[in-house]
Amino acid sequence: MKKNKTKQVALDDTDLAILALLQEDASISNAELSERLSLSLTPCWRRRKRLEEEGVIKDYQANLDRKMLGLEIMAFVHVRFAVHSDHTPEDFEAVIKELPQVQACHKITGDADYLLQVLAEDLDAYSDFVESVLRRQLGIASIQSSLALKEVKATSRVAIPAADRNRT
């Protein structure tokens, strides 16, 4: 199996400051971004474009309030496979990638093979998801769910320590 190693991109303090500002507000205009960085418009645009092209900035999105959309249930699901020697886990990954209810899927160490983060409208919808999707996947030995009682912290922001130090 071929391993994908992510190449690290060299970033200076200005690049890190751009990333920090965009994580705070991705809708910021290039004019405002360049002004806040005390950088002229064209070099600021070029840096932002390079960060996008190199894949440091993967995409832009709006962060939505799931509860305002009626998604009251957040479940963390441990999935364990009985056998790892066939293509069953890869088939599982392909299915999971297409499911909008699954917010995140991680292959993990420990007692389980995968950890899923799943959103549902209510317990009935979550139960339907488990029965109609997860239990139908071949090779799964166990499914263990934990329901979130309270969301203490949820973010998609990546810590940028060097930029944080420069902004104080």
Side-chain angles (χ1 to χ4, degrees):
M1 180 178 358
K2 185 177 180 181
K3 301 286 182 188
N4 291 335
K5 185 164 180 162
T6 304
K7 71 170 187 155
Q8 191 169 353
V9 177
L11 303 172
D12 63 17
D13 286 346
T14 303
D15 293 330
L16 295 171
I18 289 171
L19 295 174
L21 289 169
L22 289 174
Q23 280 197 128
E24 287 176 20
D25 181 6
S27 68
I28 189 172
S29 69
N30 278 323
E32 186 176 346
L33 186 61
S34 64
E35 183 179 318
R36 290 185 60 186
L37 295 169
S38 300
L39 194 64
S40 58
L41 194 57
T42 302
C44 183
W45 177 83
R46 283 187 187 131
R47 283 176 175 266
R48 183 176 186 167
K49 189 77 173 155
R50 180 182 56 80
L51 292 168
E52 292 169 356
E53 289 170 354
E54 290 181 343
V56 177
I57 298 173
K58 292 170 43 175
D59 58 29
Y60 298 92
Q61 67 184 23
N63 293 317
L64 308 178
D65 184 321
R66 68 177 174 86
K67 289 188 175 185
M68 292 192 73
L69 296 171
L71 298 168
E72 294 292 328
I73 301 297
M74 180 184 294
F76 296 92
V77 187
H78 289 130
V79 177
R80 186 173 57 83
F81 280 86
V83 179
H84 298 92
S85 59
D86 59 8
H87 294 287
T88 306
E90 289 84 4
D91 295 342
F92 171 78
E93 289 177 14
V95 169
I96 292 300
K97 287 177 183 178
E98 300 302 318
L99 298 172
Q101 305 95 316
V102 178
Q103 295 296 291
C105 174
H106 300 274
K107 192 169 190 172
I108 61 172
T109 62
D111 291 338
D113 296 305
Y114 291 91
L115 176 64
L116 310 179
Q117 181 181 347
V118 178
L119 296 180
E121 293 173 354
D122 54 30
L123 285 174
D124 289 336
Y126 178 68
S127 177
D128 289 344
F129 172 79
V130 171
E131 295 300 324
S132 66
V133 177
L134 293 182
R135 291 203 189 278
R136 293 184 182 208
Q137 302 306 307
L138 297 176
I140 292 180
S142 70
I143 299 168
Q144 185 177 21
S145 300
S146 297
L147 301 179
L149 298 176
K150 177 181 176 184
E151 192 170 287
V152 177
K153 179 182 179 179
T155 184
S156 60
R157 293 182 181 180
V158 176
I160 308 173
D164 290 343
R165 281 196 307 269
N166 290 338
R167 297 182 65 220
T168 57

